[in-house]
Amino acid sequence: MCGIVGVLGNHEAAPLLVEALKRLEYRGYDSAGIATVHKGRLDRRRAVGKLVNLSDLLVHDPLAGKSGIGHTRWATHGAATVTNAHPHRAGKVAVVHNGIIENFRDLRSELAADGYAQESDTDTETIALLARREIDRGATPVEAARATLKRLQGAFALCFLFDGEEDLMIAARQGSPLAIGHGSGEMFVGSDAIALAPMTDRITYLEEGDWAVITRAGAQIFDGHDRLANRAETRVRLDSARIEKAGYKHFMAKEIAEQPVVIADALKHYTSSKGTLELPEALDFTTIDRVTLVACGTASYACHVAKYWFEQIAGLPADIDIASEFRYRDPVLSPASMAIFVSQSGETADTLAALRHVKDNVAKVVAVINVPTSSIARESDLALPIMAGVEVGVASTKAFTCQLTLLALMALKAAQDRGRIDAATLRDRLETLRALPGLMNAALALSDPIARIAEDLARAQDILFLGRGAMFPLALEGALKLKEISYIHAEGYASGELKHGPIALIDDAVPVIVLAPKDALFDKTVSNMQEVLARNGKVLLLSDAAGVETAGHGTWKTLTLPTVDPLWAPILYAVPAQLLAYHTASPRAPTWTSPETWQNRSRWNSQ
Ligand code: M6R
């Protein structure tokens, strides 16, 4: 997940660029670089590893100039080396790029045949070379950029800077977000508004296919057909408290701890104190015959939990799909169905592509997003914000529980619209949802015992998570979270599937984490747990007091959670699953890194 910044300013650009890149560190990266134009001369500095390496380089070898572009790179095409780091330069052109150019091999061969050889392994250098060839053929920088963009296939966000041009940047967006920031006599570019927050809150988001010619006087934006486009300027309120660590060691810890507050905010926003739903009227399930829920990663596990809710609470058939698979399997869609796209960022390319795939084939497209200005929000018929606040950590935590909370309310609305729930039952369900923030606080209080258990988990090679019913997707999410930040292999299984293969893995070296509130499925899950214990398995049981009392003996460890309405247990049990991942990762992490940047695996592995 790379980051882009650009500045046409009235002050030295290098410190501003590095500062802005720091704000994008949470996205993960393994090299960084900046380029500036000073007295007409384009120059650049690049370094592998943390931004501090780039800062050190700039102390010894400074870059002057008030115009510049910067980038944090997460290696995809080619290793994390200085040569592969952005900005890429070819002749008078420098470019930074997020995304993937799918036809870069063909373009590279074509350019090589024309005498334009590539130094790096990246798809990005191909862009710089294409623009250079245009300039060599007599094009102006703007003409060169426009011609280059026409040749690119794939998903990208780009920003060009040119030798000899101190008042020009060209930005483009196709499939990867890009924002333009407006200052007074200054202009900025950022792959998200967070990067630009200290410089401006006046933001214009580029739309798909847009490209922009930016000078200090403003931005001229063109659409994919090169027609002048009018894109609104909005004020983006970035609550700085929500993007500071506020005394926590890592953003992930802070965001886990914030969950009671943000869930309470979401419930307050979408329900009334009288025990009724306050969802927009446009969210109407009266004539809807099924819902299709589509997302990636953690958001897709939220959809998976919601499938149980829509079917159990509202009797409404629900399909779930991973966005990256959805459009390739020719889904059969009912014209009376509602498609729900769930995404924290609202910019995930596969989710957006899936949305575009269904748009004209369903009754309504609804977005469940955290960023109301995002592409997925803008392209839906109805966008419902999850109210989680900025989520900086790469590991999605509070966004997951806020997604679940909103999806639970949507399932209740579906039940209400379909006459499947009476007012008193709805009030009771909302009451038990409203109890969640308090219960989550009690779950957060388990952080220390979880940290002690995690010291053992950190030594394991493989860890299994088991759950039944709506706790099955939570087992998948627990495993994803753990492997994502601790790099320990983890898998989630439906408990009933254990005997159909995975049981072969069980021995005393493979911890098995069983997520089992004492609900209607508890006894069945416990009998699967017994299969593990019978093979000398090391079971960590997460349950409530009644569950631990009934089935805790013989297990390796237990964690006692508060008793919760079984329907909403996945929301509560997400907290210990997240804490297990966080604390298991901590002892394995080298001191220079943090959960926000633990994606920088290549560096860690080379230590
Ligand atoms: O922004 P999105 O919710 O669309 O992102 C989807 C996934 O990439 C995301 O949930 C990912 O799985 C998380 N980083 C996992 O913690």
Side-chain angles (χ1 to χ4, degrees):
M1 295 223 292
C2 312
I4 287 179
V5 289
V7 171
L8 292 178
N10 297 324
H11 305 280
E12 283 306 302
L16 292 176
L17 291 167
V18 172
E19 190 51 39
L21 290 176
K22 274 191 193 144
R23 302 176 75 83
L24 294 175
E25 271 194 305
Y26 71 90
R27 298 161 71 103
Y29 66 102
D30 43 30
S31 61
I34 64 169
T36 60
V37 187
H38 180 54
K39 296 188 176 159
R41 191 168 158 264
L42 178 70
D43 205 353
R44 64 179 166 167
R45 303 283 180 270
R46 298 175 295 168
V48 172
K50 304 293 283 177
L51 272 171
V52 71
N53 299 343
L54 179 64
S55 303
D56 285 352
L57 180 66
L58 287 163
V59 169
H60 299 294
D61 198 4
L63 263 191
K66 295 178 178 168
S67 316
I69 53 177
H71 191 262
T72 43
R73 172 176 188 252
W74 171 239
T76 54
H77 291 75
T81 60
V82 171
T83 312
N84 288 334
H86 301 211
H88 282 279
R89 180 173 185 178
K92 288 175 179 293
V93 183
V95 67
V96 288
H97 161 223
N98 288 355
I100 290 172
I101 305 301
E102 285 166 3
N103 60 333
F104 95 101
R105 284 192 181 77
D106 292 345
L107 292 172
R108 189 169 58 183
S109 313
E110 177 191 313
L111 285 159
D114 230 359
Y116 291 89
Q118 189 157 328
E119 284 173 10
S120 73
D121 307 316
T122 65
D123 50 347
T124 307
E125 194 186 355
T126 312
I127 305 169
L129 283 167
L130 278 172
R132 177 190 179 163
R133 185 171 66 175
E134 293 299 322
I135 287 176
D136 289 351
R137 288 172 175 171
T140 63
V142 175
E143 289 163 354
R146 184 174 54 200
T148 299
L149 293 171
K150 299 268 177 277
R151 300 293 316 278
L152 305 179
Q153 291 165 13
F156 53 80
L158 298 173
C159 190
F160 290 97
L161 193 68
F162 301 91
D163 189 84
E165 301 282 350
E166 288 187 46
D167 193 21
L168 178 68
M169 287 190 296
I170 295 178
R173 173 210 165 127
Q174 180 172 301
S176 218
L178 203 60
I180 295 177
H182 305 260
S184 108
E186 300 183 297
M187 292 294 284
F188 310 97
V189 170
S191 45
D192 69 37
I194 293 178
L196 306 183
M199 299 180 278
T200 184
D201 61 352
R202 290 166 50 205
I203 300 290
T204 299
Y205 290 97
L206 292 186
E207 294 188 7
E208 283 303 282
D210 281 358
W211 62 286
V213 178
I214 305 166
T215 66
R216 285 180 178 77
Q220 264 195 317
I221 300 177
F222 301 90
D223 67 14
H225 302 288
D226 298 339
R227 293 175 303 221
L228 210 52
N230 193 8
R231 306 286 180 234
E233 180 186 313
T234 48
R235 290 228 176 229
V236 175
R237 283 195 51 232
L238 283 169
D239 174 358
S240 61
R242 292 230 166 147
I243 50 176
E244 305 294 342
K245 283 191 197 140
Y248 287 90
K249 202 165 165 202
H250 305 112
F251 279 111
M252 184 179 176
K254 173 179 176 256
E255 288 163 2
I256 290 173
E258 274 174 359
Q259 291 178 105
V261 173
V262 290
I263 299 288
D265 284 351
L267 287 169
K268 202 163 158 203
H269 189 79
Y270 289 116
T271 66
S272 80
S273 52
K274 289 179 266 154
T276 54
L277 291 163
E278 298 278 314
L279 285 155
E281 266 173 35
L283 186 75
D284 184 355
F285 291 90
T286 324
T287 55
I288 295 297
D289 66 356
R290 64 191 308 124
V291 288
T292 298
L293 297 133
V294 186
C296 295
T298 289
S300 80
Y301 297 139
C303 294
H304 198 153
V305 173
K307 174 181 167 67
Y308 290 84
W309 290 336
F310 276 108
E311 294 188 340
Q312 283 172 8
I313 305 172
L316 183 59
D319 301 318
I320 42 171
D321 263 286
I322 296 166
S324 55
E325 289 292 320
F326 184 64
R327 63 192 192 280
Y328 303 116
R329 72 164 177 86
D330 297 327
V332 179
L333 297 162
S334 154
S337 66
M338 180 186 287
I340 302 173
F341 295 88
V342 181
S343 171
Q344 188 284 125
S345 59
E347 299 291 352
T348 299
D350 282 319
T351 311
L352 185 56
L355 184 156
R356 289 178 180 153
H357 188 73
V358 302
K359 210 163 174 179
D360 299 321
N361 303 314
V362 295
K364 183 153 278 176
V365 172
V366 177
V368 171
I369 36 74
N370 197 28
V371 183
T373 48
S374 61
S375 307
I376 291 174
R378 290 200 307 263
E379 295 196 23
S380 302
D381 300 322
L382 174 66
L384 299 172
I386 57 171
M387 320 294 293
V390 176
E391 187 173 71
V392 177
V394 168
S396 186
T397 53
K398 62 176 179 170
F400 176 64
T401 48
C402 283
Q403 285 161 353
L404 286 176
T405 304
L406 183 49
L407 288 164
L409 296 173
M410 290 167 73
L412 289 169
K413 175 75 165 58
Q416 187 181 48
D417 290 350
R418 292 163 59 79
R420 297 287 183 121
I421 195 167
D422 58 41
T425 314
L426 175 63
R427 237 186 346 264
D428 287 351
R429 290 284 180 233
L430 292 180
E431 196 62 44
T432 54
L433 267 176
R434 255 192 242 107
L436 276 171
L439 302 181
M440 280 181 151
N441 273 323
L444 287 167
L446 295 172
S447 186
D448 285 348
I450 288 177
R452 286 194 290 278
I453 293 172
E455 284 171 23
D456 281 319
L457 294 180
R459 287 191 283 274
Q461 299 276 339
D462 308 280
I463 297 178
L464 297 186
F465 284 75
L466 299 183
R468 213 175 243 276
M471 300 305 278
F472 161 45
L474 194 70
L476 297 173
E477 166 61 6
L480 171 68
K481 207 95 302 166
L482 192 89
K483 63 188 147 197
E484 184 181 26
I485 62 163
S486 75
Y487 306 155
I488 295 174
H489 170 242
E491 296 297 334
Y493 282 100
S495 342
E497 273 294 293
L498 190 67
K499 57 182 166 297
H500 300 291
I503 202 159
L505 295 174
I506 304 296
D507 63 23
D508 61 1
V510 180
V512 179
I513 300 174
V514 180
L515 305 165
K518 192 150 188 327
D519 57 13
L521 303 174
F522 179 76
D523 292 341
K524 284 199 163 292
T525 309
V526 167
S527 73
N528 302 129
M529 193 180 91
Q530 296 303 340
E531 294 162 7
V532 176
L533 292 173
R535 279 158 187 80
N536 251 344
K538 191 171 170 180
V539 170
L540 165 60
L541 172 66
L542 272 69
S543 188
D544 41 40
V548 169
E549 162 126 24
T550 313
H553 2 268
T555 59
W556 168 56
K557 304 262 178 203
T558 57
L559 279 170
T560 307
L561 284 139
T563 306
V564 59
D565 182 337
L567 266 181
W568 316 135
I571 308 180
L572 178 66
Y573 281 59
V575 174
Q578 294 160 355
L579 287 170
L580 277 166
Y582 176 74
H583 288 303
T584 302
S586 292
R588 291 168 67 96
T591 50
W592 51 264
T593 189
S594 72
E596 282 74 60
T597 51
W598 286 344
Q599 288 197 349
N600 301 344
R601 239 192 132 147
S602 49
R603 253 202 99 198
W604 182 349
N605 289 346
S606 66
Q607 291 289 301

